[in-house]
Amino acid sequence: MDSTTTTGNDAGPPEFRAFAAARSRHLVRTAYLLTGGDAHLAEDLAQEALGKLYGNWRRISRMANPAGYARTVLVNTFLSHRRRRSSREHVTDTFAETAAPPADPALRVTLLQALAELPQQDRAVLILRYWEDLGVEETAAALRLTPSAVRSRASRALSRLRTRLGGQFDELARP
């Protein structure tokens, strides 16, 4: 996804085009994890989030952390998409090609499947805490939860992943 795809051909303020070009790939990767590996839905969610940002760019560009706000918009877009029953798309076991192959593709697929089995809020907590490397307070603010709810959901979700992945969990947790 590039800035011309994101905002149209030379549409919008140059600052937004630069922001979208710099952040769109990161937003798609985060959405990919949130959706449990659905590359097409991830691109759609990132596109929708950028569209929402574009509509309010003048206000958002003055924020202290527009990238953090973009991430919050993406997570909220994901959560609201999951609540909508009008979506008729189905997740498949086909994944988009990656630029560099992972160390163990089977383990990666297993992890993505395990993430997809988690409730959406638990998945969002794990992605924000451990993929986005946000603190408990930041995650709580992004998801409109209390810090104790974030800690509880993270603990419960990690426990479910450990149960689902068994010994493979320790292999994934190693740096």
Side-chain angles (χ1 to χ4, degrees), residues 16-114:
F16 178 78
R17 289 196 315 268
F19 176 83
R23 298 299 303 168
S24 62
R25 187 171 187 164
H26 185 80
L27 290 171
V28 170
R29 281 192 308 246
T30 300
Y32 182 79
L33 292 171
L34 287 169
T35 62
D38 185 337
H40 298 291
L41 179 57
E43 289 176 0
D44 289 347
L45 292 173
Q47 183 78 19
E48 187 174 340
L50 286 170
K52 291 176 182 178
L53 294 171
Y54 177 77
N56 296 303
W57 183 247
R58 182 175 292 164
R59 177 182 53 84
I60 294 166
S61 66
R62 291 188 299 252
M63 291 181 165
N65 186 4
Y69 185 77
R71 183 178 44 245
T72 300
V73 169
L74 175 67
V75 170
N76 289 336
T77 301
F78 163 73
L79 293 173
S80 67
H81 171 79
R82 300 295 292 175
R83 284 190 291 264
R84 284 184 263 162
R85 297 292 176 208
S86 63
S87 175
R88 300 290 181 223
E89 294 183 24
H90 299 282
V91 177
T92 67
D93 60 352
T94 304
F95 297 97
E97 293 181 31
T98 57
D104 184 355
L107 185 56
R108 180 183 173 130
V109 170
T110 302
L111 175 61
L112 287 172
Q113 289 171 341

Side-chain angles (χ1 to χ4, degrees), residues 121 125 135-154:
Q121 284 252 316
V125 166
V136 171
E137 298 290 332
E138 292 171 302
T139 302
L143 296 174
R144 296 186 189 124
L145 297 172
T146 64
S148 62
V150 167
R151 286 189 291 273
S152 174
R153 283 184 175 278

